[in-house]
Amino acid sequence: MNWSILTLKDFHFLKEILDFTNLEGSDTSLVNIFLLQKKYDTKTAINKGFLFRYYTGSENRTGYGFPIKIKNERYTLSDALSEIIKDSESSENSGVRPLKFCLLTENQKELVDSVLKKDFNISLNWKTNRDDDDYIYSREKLAALQGKTYHKKKNHVSRFLRNYEGNWEFRSLNLCSITSDMIFVAEKWLEERFLTVEMTDNEKKILNLEFEMIKTALENKNDFSLEGGVLYTGGKPVAMTLASKISEGILDIHFEKSLSDAAKDGAYAAINWCFANSCDSYEFLNREEDMGVEGLRKAKLSYHPDKMTEKYYSC
């Protein structure tokens, strides 16, 4: 296979031809594939009616992703796996791409496992890593925040509304020109992190890369069909969120940032609530994984996910 990085031209082409039906994992968001390719040294290839991906990262993030099918192509998963096996064997001597898979949902893992055994007599061992699980939420529930389950979150939103009564506003990305305000929030958030949190050079590098990804996303917001918004208090931007469609009914939340002073007043809960109310054409919101970060895990669990999408890797 001819492996390469995705260009914007590739993105436009793939956006029109790929079949995203039934996909729900954040790794299968085409915007994520584009934005994260530098972070995970992702290579892509198109062959036999499929988009192939190969990730290079930690043990649980190294390997082939689940092949994404091109619409109306006659090729099967068996054809796709045959290409992966050939590719792996062709690079086996140098150990470039061993036959490993990563970031597969349970259903994808079972499909790959079944076809490998039946058609190629290959068996793999599989593991999961809790840090990779996607958090999937009912958009309607996050918009309503009803009942005891969401009592604390509703209180956070109520506190924010009381503190800024008559002096706050949420502006939607698809309705307003707010790109510069989104970048402002992301940049100020980054500055606050560097000033208040002790970090390794690698952790700083990752945060800087994330900021670059936010800028890249916003530079191409129309191409990526991004959704999102900015929360303002006193006319100043204090929080932002950015998202894109994974498949029909599922929206992927890529970034969510709040300045520290507003966060203390409940800005994270407020922008989550505002955005959930603004994207009512979707049934579910995928808020991605927590990467094993304790505070992030606690925050994501506090919103009571409707589903945790486990991710599997072979070893």
Side-chain angles (χ1 to χ4, degrees), residues 135-146 148-157 253 256 258 263 266-276 285 287 295-308:
Y135 292 73
I136 311 291
Y137 304 84
S138 160
R139 183 212 59 81
E140 186 176 5
K141 289 179 181 178
L142 292 187
L145 296 178
Q146 293 180 339
K148 292 182 179 179
T149 301
Y150 297 99
H151 181 68
K152 288 184 178 180
K153 289 299 174 188
K154 193 162 189 175
N155 281 346
H156 290 324
V157 173
I253 311 296
E256 188 179 80
S258 172
Y268 275 113
I271 195 167
N272 187 303
W273 172 69
C274 288
F275 185 58
L285 301 179
R287 295 185 61 81
L296 197 55
R297 179 168 296 184
K298 182 178 179 181
K300 289 179 185 283
L301 287 172
S302 72
Y303 281 99
H304 305 283
D306 281 57
K307 176 182 179 181
M308 296 294 295

Side-chain angles (χ1 to χ4, degrees), residues 70-85:
I70 294 175
K71 296 174 184 176
N72 304 319
E73 284 283 2
R74 59 181 176 82
Y75 296 104
T76 66
L77 180 59
S78 181
D79 295 318
L81 294 178
S82 176
E83 292 302 303
I84 286 176
I85 293 168

Side-chain angles (χ1 to χ4, degrees), residues 242-259:
L242 266 181
S244 74
K245 177 180 176 180
I246 297 177
S247 60
E248 286 303 322
I250 302 181
L251 191 65
D252 186 30
I253 311 296
H254 301 299
F255 307 106
E256 188 179 80
K257 307 294 182 189
S258 172
L259 304 187

Side-chain angles (χ1 to χ4, degrees), residues 8-22:
L8 191 57
K9 183 178 179 180
D10 296 328
F11 181 92
H12 282 295
F13 174 68
L14 293 171
K15 182 180 177 181
E16 296 302 320
I17 68 167
L18 290 180
D19 183 0
F20 296 102
T21 306
N22 298 324

Side-chain angles (χ1 to χ4, degrees), residues 47-89:
N47 203 10
K48 285 291 179 73
F50 286 87
L51 171 68
F52 295 93
R53 296 164 288 149
Y54 193 88
Y55 295 90
T56 305
S58 57
E59 180 188 11
N60 52 303
R61 285 180 176 266
T62 293
Y64 296 92
F66 188 78
I68 303 177
K69 189 174 176 59
I70 294 175
K71 296 174 184 176
N72 304 319
E73 284 283 2
R74 59 181 176 82
Y75 296 104
T76 66
L77 180 59
S78 181
D79 295 318
L81 294 178
S82 176
E83 292 302 303
I84 286 176
I85 293 168
K86 290 176 187 176
D87 180 75
S88 177
E89 290 175 346

Side-chain angles (χ1 to χ4, degrees), residues 120-132:
F120 305 99
N121 196 30
I122 294 175
S123 294
L124 298 175
N125 294 317
W126 297 88
K127 290 184 179 180
T128 61
N129 187 318
R130 173 66 177 79
D131 300 350
D132 292 332

